[in-house]
Amino acid sequence: MTAHPLFDVGGRRALVTGSSRGIGLALARGLAEAGCTVVLNGRDEDRLAEAAAGLPGDRVHTAAFDVTDGSSVASGVAEVEERVGPLDILVNNAGMQLRAPLLEFGESDWHRILDTNLTSAFLVGREAARRMTERGHGKIINICSLQSEVVRPGIAPYAATKGALKMLTKGMCADWGPSGVQVNGLGPGYIETELTRPLVEDEEFSSWVRRRTPAGRWGRTRDLVGGVLFLASPAADFVSGQVLYVDGGMTSVL
């Protein structure tokens, strides 16, 4: 049995920001395995090269630029399209977490998390969309979060950025949809990665996650691949402005 052609993304070109490790790298791997030409993005050229070497195929590229800096983004996206070709897919994955009670959260950390989680998606999304709208097609997938909807103590700034990213996704849909660009969000729940390893190993917190999640476990990065492939494919050509939560059901229960 072969896959339905609506889900075929083979031959498309995808840029994944923040993809030298973790969720971004897993999504890039999934796109590469599905036949996409993939561009990994981050700021560390050595780490990007190491990540690219571990992906399948010979259509994996890297592009080191700072997604929080407008001029760096403009030159970076232009260079990617000149070197690799027109982008069909953008995955805005770059993000970070800073945990602290709001009363102890400093201004510099507030601006840092806003720039990384929200401003980067605006800057890279805008730059990619300039070209996608001219060509009349494109897919932009913003990596939102379970915390686009709910929040726990100590992560209010992170939730604020992810809630805003949900609304930016809808705004991008409104502005760019008439030009043939679909913009959606993918909302991971609690996913086991290098960065969440300390939480996974905290038995009290891990037990809470398992109890709170109908699926009864932490998510794995590979659990997110199907969602991004769907949103990047022709099967989602009439899907826009939505957030697909991949959280084991956590947002659906009390």
Side-chain angles (χ1 to χ4, degrees), residues 87-254:
L87 289 172
D88 303 293
I89 301 160
L90 166 65
V91 181
N92 274 317
N93 170 76
M96 66 177 299
Q97 173 66 291
L98 294 171
R99 294 181 177 86
L102 272 177
L103 290 177
E104 301 169 15
F105 209 86
E107 285 184 37
S108 62
D109 283 341
W110 172 261
H111 289 293
R112 183 180 169 207
I113 199 169
L114 274 175
D115 285 347
T116 304
N117 294 359
L118 181 62
T119 302
S120 68
F122 161 68
L123 293 173
V124 185
R126 182 184 61 176
E127 208 57 41
R130 291 188 199 281
R131 296 159 171 81
M132 289 178 175
T133 53
E134 289 178 359
R135 295 190 288 262
H137 64 88
K139 304 280 188 177
I140 296 177
I141 302 161
N142 295 325
I143 304 305
C144 297
S145 172
L146 168 74
Q147 275 81 35
S148 295
E149 300 292 342
V150 295
V151 67
R152 297 183 74 252
I155 58 169
Y158 178 84
T161 65
K162 292 299 185 177
L165 185 58
K166 177 183 74 170
M167 294 310 298
L168 179 61
T169 298
K170 294 178 181 293
M172 288 174 167
C173 161
D175 274 27
W176 302 333
S179 298
V181 178
Q182 291 84 53
V183 187
N184 290 287
L186 187 71
Y190 283 96
I191 306 296
E192 186 173 349
T193 68
E194 300 167 44
L195 295 179
T196 61
R197 172 56 54 185
L199 295 178
V200 174
E201 293 175 348
D202 180 332
E203 188 49 44
E204 182 179 356
F205 187 84
S206 233
S207 295
W208 175 82
V209 169
R210 292 192 295 270
R211 289 194 309 270
R212 184 68 176 74
T213 305
R217 64 172 175 86
W218 281 75
R220 307 177 185 99
T221 54
R222 65 176 177 268
D223 291 322
L224 303 171
V225 172
V228 84
L229 291 177
F230 164 64
L231 294 174
S233 75
D237 279 355
F238 202 55
V239 179
S240 199
Q242 306 303 308
V243 180
L244 172 60
Y245 290 101
V246 184
D247 63 356
M250 187 181 274
T251 53
S252 297
V253 298
L254 291 172

